[in-house]
Amino acid sequence: MKRLTMLLSLFVALAIPAVAQAADAKAPDELVEIDGKKPVVIKPDRAYLLFRVKGKWFAPVFMRVPTEAEVAAYYAAKKAAFDKALPDLKKARDAALAKQAAAKGTKSDDEVPPEPSLETFDYHHPDVQNLQSINLGKALEKGKDEKLMLIEAVPGSYVIYGAGNQNAMLACMCLGSVGFEAKAGEVTDLGAVHVAIAWQASDDPVLAGETGLGASVNGHWVMPAMGVAPATAPSAPAALAGKPVVTASWRAIGKFVGPPVFNVNRLAPVAGVLSYDARGRVIDVKSGEPVADNY
C-alpha cells in the first residue's frame, strides 16, 4: 500500500455524524493488500474491501473520511504547531516589512509574508494517513486485464478519490465520485473498478462516455478515466468461502477540492447512484436531487 498525503479539505465537508473514536497515532497502513498466498483470516476489528480492477496501468485511490476524534486531534495539533511557530513567523514578517520600508518606495522582489493566522498556517499532520493508493501487484487473483483485490482496511466511510500508479496521484475524481461504508468484521464487495486512458476511445461500456476525449487531454501526464460497476449480489472467490460478504451501498459524492494532482476528472456515471446534469452538477440518482459541493 502506498501512502499519499493526509486530506484536510474534506474533513468537515464529507464527515458524517458518527460516534467519536480514538485516533491511533502512528498507526500501521490503513489499507493492506492480501495476496491470497495464505488462508484469509477476517479480523473482527478490521474491514475488508473486495473488488475487481478492469484495465491496465491505473489503480484506484481510496480516501477514508476522518472520524470526529481525528478531526479534533488535527485541529489541536495544528494549533499547538502554530503557537510554537508564531514568534518566528512574526519575526520574519517584521524583517520583511523593515526591508520594504528601507527601500523607500523602490521596487523590491521580496514578498512580505501575510499576517500570521491559524487559518492560513501551513501544517502537515503526520498521525493519520487516510489517502492511499492500491498496489495492483499484490492481488488475490490475477488475469490478463483484470485483477481481483482484497484489501484489509480501517473500518469507516470511504470515497473513491481518484486514480494513481504506485505512489503517484494521476487524477482525482474531484468533479464527482461515489462513497461507501466498510464495517468491521465484514467483506464489502464493491463490484468492479474500470480504468482506461481518457483520450483514447474505449469499448468498455462503463467508460464509453468518459473516454475518446481526443488529443487535447493527451498531455505530459496521462489522464485516467474511471468508473464503477456495483456488485448486484455478493460474489466471493474460493478464498472467501464461508466468510461474511456484503454488497456495498454506494452514495453520490459532490465536487471537492483535492491536494495538488496532475489531472482533475470525474467518475463515470454509476447506474442507480451517480449522474450529472447538463451543467456538470453531481446528481444523486436515488433522490434525483443535486449533491452539495464539498468546498
Side-chain angles (χ1 to χ4, degrees):
M1 187 60 53
K2 296 290 184 179
R3 292 183 174 183
L4 298 176
T5 182
M6 186 176 188
L7 191 64
L8 305 181
S9 59
L10 299 187
F11 262 9
V12 177
L14 287 183
I16 60 175
V19 177
Q21 302 176 23
D24 292 330
K26 309 302 182 185
D29 280 348
E30 293 213 351
L31 305 182
V32 179
E33 299 90 348
I34 297 175
D35 61 14
K37 294 179 181 178
K38 297 179 180 180
V40 177
V41 177
I42 302 301
K43 301 175 183 176
D45 61 339
R46 297 283 277 183
Y48 295 82
L49 314 180
L50 177 69
F51 57 94
R52 288 165 176 80
V53 177
K54 295 180 178 288
K56 298 179 179 179
W57 314 118
F58 309 121
V61 175
F62 292 94
M63 184 201 76
R64 180 180 61 81
V65 179
T67 64
E68 292 178 352
E70 287 171 331
V71 174
Y74 160 74
Y75 282 117
K78 181 180 180 180
K79 176 65 165 58
F82 173 72
D83 290 343
K84 182 177 180 180
L86 185 57
D88 289 337
L89 294 174
K90 287 182 175 179
K91 187 182 297 183
R93 176 174 166 79
D94 290 344
L97 287 171
K99 186 174 182 179
Q100 186 181 71
K104 297 181 179 179
T106 61
K107 185 177 180 180
S108 174
D109 293 331
D110 294 332
E111 289 188 11
V112 176
E115 187 73 35
S117 71
L118 182 60
E119 289 71 23
T120 61
F121 180 57
D122 187 10
Y123 173 69
H124 171 70
H125 189 56
D127 290 345
V128 177
Q129 299 289 339
N130 66 316
L131 187 64
Q132 298 190 1
S133 66
I134 301 301
N135 183 349
L136 296 179
K138 298 179 179 179
L140 192 68
E141 297 177 4
K142 299 180 181 180
K144 182 179 178 181
D145 293 322
E146 177 178 319
K147 295 185 178 180
L148 178 63
M149 306 299 302
L150 179 62
I151 309 296
E152 183 183 286
V154 173
S157 179
Y158 283 84
V159 171
I160 300 288
Y161 184 85
N165 186 295
Q166 296 299 322
N167 61 345
M169 169 72 79
L170 296 178
C172 73
M173 299 297 113
C174 297
L175 302 180
S177 190
V178 292
F180 61 93
E181 302 298 317
K183 297 181 180 180
E186 286 185 351
V187 179
T188 302
D189 187 350
L190 306 182
V193 177
H194 296 241
V195 289
I197 296 174
W199 75 275
Q200 296 177 338
S202 173
D203 58 5
D204 184 339
V206 173
L207 299 174
E210 303 297 322
T211 55
L213 303 183
S216 62
V217 297
N218 184 17
H220 182 63
W221 293 97
V222 176
M223 167 77 86
M226 194 173 191
V228 170
T232 56
S235 177
L240 292 176
K243 303 292 193 301
V245 181
V246 300
T247 56
S249 179
W250 293 98
R251 65 182 184 279
I253 299 295
K255 297 177 181 179
F256 54 88
V257 177
V261 293
F262 296 122
N263 299 292
V264 174
N265 204 347
R266 70 182 192 182
L267 199 73
V270 179
V273 180
L274 169 73
S275 67
Y276 304 94
D277 67 10
R279 297 170 56 190
R281 291 186 302 178
V282 178
I283 303 298
D284 176 4
V285 175
K286 296 174 184 177
S287 68
E289 298 295 326
V291 181
D293 295 335
N294 295 291
Y295 50 79

